[in-house]
């Protein structure tokens, strides 16, 4: 097979390559760039193609490998480390860390909130938290399962109210707002 015949066969695959590239990039311009890179590599390395093998599969493999290599290169470039003496205010958030003292205060507040729960709510809640099933808790406390579920629900509400300052402002799903 001559180089001209090979180039013609490769160019006939361009439209199917473009569709395949869209699966990777989800953007028409990036897909066209990927197809162009793939065609360039295929034509450059046409002597590596063995006649009689699946040309489309060979081109798809080139495209997949090109996409993966470009992605790795992008990730590597994007994750640069700032080496300047001063950290800009925009990058300051990335340099801050949490310390153990803050975590200790949070745990103390959780323990205090649990300690303030009435025992009728604390026992079912703590057993449920430890992994016991509703029916096990009901048997242990000799109360109906519905009462166990209610007490756990009330305990959660009381804890949520006590720990309100730690609400991080994350938007709750619509079904959770009704509670």
């Amino acid at each position: 097979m001559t180089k001209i015949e090979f180039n013609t066969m490769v160019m006939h695959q361009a439209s199917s390559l473009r569709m395949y590239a869209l699966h990777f990039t989800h953007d028409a311009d990036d897909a066209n760039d990927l197809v162009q890179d793939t065609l360039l590599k295929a034509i450059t390395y046409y002597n590596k193609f063995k006649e009689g093998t699946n040309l489309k599969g060979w081109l798809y493999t080139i495209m997949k490998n090109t996409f993966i290599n470009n992605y790795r290169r992008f990730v590597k470039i994007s994750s640069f480390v700032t080496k300047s003496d001063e950290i800009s205010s925009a990058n300051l958030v990335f340099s801050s860390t949490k310390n153990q003292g803050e975590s200790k205060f949070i745990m103390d507040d959780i323990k205090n909130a649990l300690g303030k729960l009435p025992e009728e709510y604390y026992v079912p809640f703590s057993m449920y938290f430890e992994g016991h099933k509703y029916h096990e808790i009901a048997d242990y406390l000799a109360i109906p399962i519905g009462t166990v579920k209610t007490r756990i629900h009330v305990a959660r509400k009381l804890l949520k109210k006590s720990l309100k300052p730690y609400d991080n402002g994350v938007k709750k799903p619509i079904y959770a707002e009704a509670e």
Side-chain angles (χ1 to χ4, degrees), residues 23 38 52 55 58-59 66 96 98 102 109-110 114 120 122 144 146 150 152 163 167 169 171:
H23 290 289
T38 302
L55 176 65
W58 188 68
L59 291 170
T66 302
S96 64
K98 288 188 173 188
E102 183 180 345
D109 288 346
I110 292 171
L114 284 169
E120 65 182 14
Y122 175 78
T150 301
I152 291 170
L163 299 170
D167 185 8
K171 179 80 172 130

Side-chain angles (χ1 to χ4, degrees), residues 1-2 8 10 34 38 42 57-58 71 80 91 102 112 116 127 133 154-156:
M1 171 184 321
T2 66
T8 305
V10 167
L34 184 58
T38 302
W58 188 68
Y71 178 76
F80 71 93
N91 291 329
E102 183 180 345
N112 288 338
K116 290 179 183 175
M127 288 180 72
K133 304 287 185 218
V154 171
R156 286 182 65 233

Side-chain angles (χ1 to χ4, degrees), residues 28-64:
D29 292 333
D30 290 340
N32 287 334
D33 291 343
L34 184 58
V35 169
Q36 186 177 6
D37 290 345
T38 302
L39 294 176
L40 180 65
K41 286 181 181 180
I43 291 169
T44 303
Y45 298 106
Y46 89 99
N47 57 344
K48 303 230 185 227
F49 177 73
K50 293 182 177 38
E51 195 170 346
T53 59
N54 183 358
L55 176 65
K56 188 184 269 188
W58 188 68
L59 291 170
Y60 280 8
T61 301
I62 291 172
M63 179 177 284
K64 179 184 70 152

